[in-house]
Amino acid sequence: MVGQEHLQLGINDAGILAEIEEWYPRLDALTCLTAADTAEYGRLLPAGSCPVHTIGNGLPPRVHPRSRQENRLVVAAGRIVWIKGFDLLVDAFAKVVEKHPQWRLRIYGEGPRREEMRRRATRLGLYNHVRMMGPPMTWRASWPRRPSSPCPRAPSRSA
């Protein structure tokens, strides 16, 4: 049996960590999204118990032409949930807009915090700069024109 881990080890509370320590050593293998996560889980698990490998997100590098940044558009996509850090992205984008008001952010995705992100953008005065675009199936058409695609998952985010 292979486990697929999408969270950083430090995100988990004590109860989940205890479950990880009990059950993950019984896996045939564990995969993580980043080398840093792979190392962290590797240190936690008893030596020789379960090999830990990195298998990153599925979008290969340079699939699309490199943007010339003519459209002044940032595109982000994912589930709109706390762990993904879209709130941090919106906050950071407010600072970008202070210096570069011509830039726009489009966030593609669904999730329980979608409306909260829209309200956050409005509260920060970004109602003309941040757009919640809906399901991610529509983002692919924008991909070749995007200047930047941040990874909103915050490395230091804790529960």
Side-chain angles (χ1 to χ4, degrees):
M1 183 179 303
V2 176
Q4 185 179 27
E5 185 56 69
H6 282 258
L7 295 179
Q8 298 157 344
L9 188 59
I11 293 289
N12 298 296
D13 64 27
I16 298 296
L17 284 173
E19 294 288 324
I20 288 171
E21 289 175 328
E22 179 179 351
W23 295 103
Y24 279 23
R26 300 175 191 187
L27 294 172
D28 296 310
L30 175 66
T31 65
C32 299
L33 292 176
T34 68
D37 291 341
T38 298
E40 230 182 314
Y41 280 93
R43 283 189 296 272
L44 174 76
L45 300 175
S49 67
C50 170
V52 185
H53 303 281
T54 303
I55 299 179
N57 279 323
L59 186 64
R62 302 282 185 140
V63 168
H64 302 285
R66 187 179 203 93
S67 171
R68 294 183 303 232
Q69 298 189 0
E70 295 170 341
N71 291 332
R72 297 180 176 101
L73 176 65
V74 176
V75 174
R79 290 176 298 120
I80 314 298
V81 294
W82 175 84
I83 196 70
K84 296 295 184 177
F86 283 103
D87 54 330
L88 303 175
L89 177 60
V90 170
D91 291 351
F93 199 72
K95 295 175 182 178
V96 170
V97 168
E98 287 175 10
K99 293 183 179 183
H100 305 283
Q102 69 278 23
W103 281 78
R104 303 291 181 262
L105 169 63
R106 291 184 186 165
I107 300 174
Y108 291 84
E110 294 289 338
R113 299 189 78 197
R114 187 172 189 276
E115 182 60 23
E116 179 185 333
M117 290 306 103
R118 189 194 60 74
R119 285 192 311 268
R120 183 183 212 97
T122 299
R123 188 175 63 249
L124 292 169
L126 300 173
Y127 44 84
N128 287 325
H129 296 90
V130 175
R131 292 187 61 194
M132 302 303 294
M133 302 300 290
M137 68 184 82
T138 60
W139 72 273
R140 293 189 194 281
S142 298
W143 196 264
R145 299 186 312 264
R146 88 224 184 287
S148 180
S149 297
C151 179
R153 185 173 174 232
S156 61
R157 182 149 264 202
S158 58

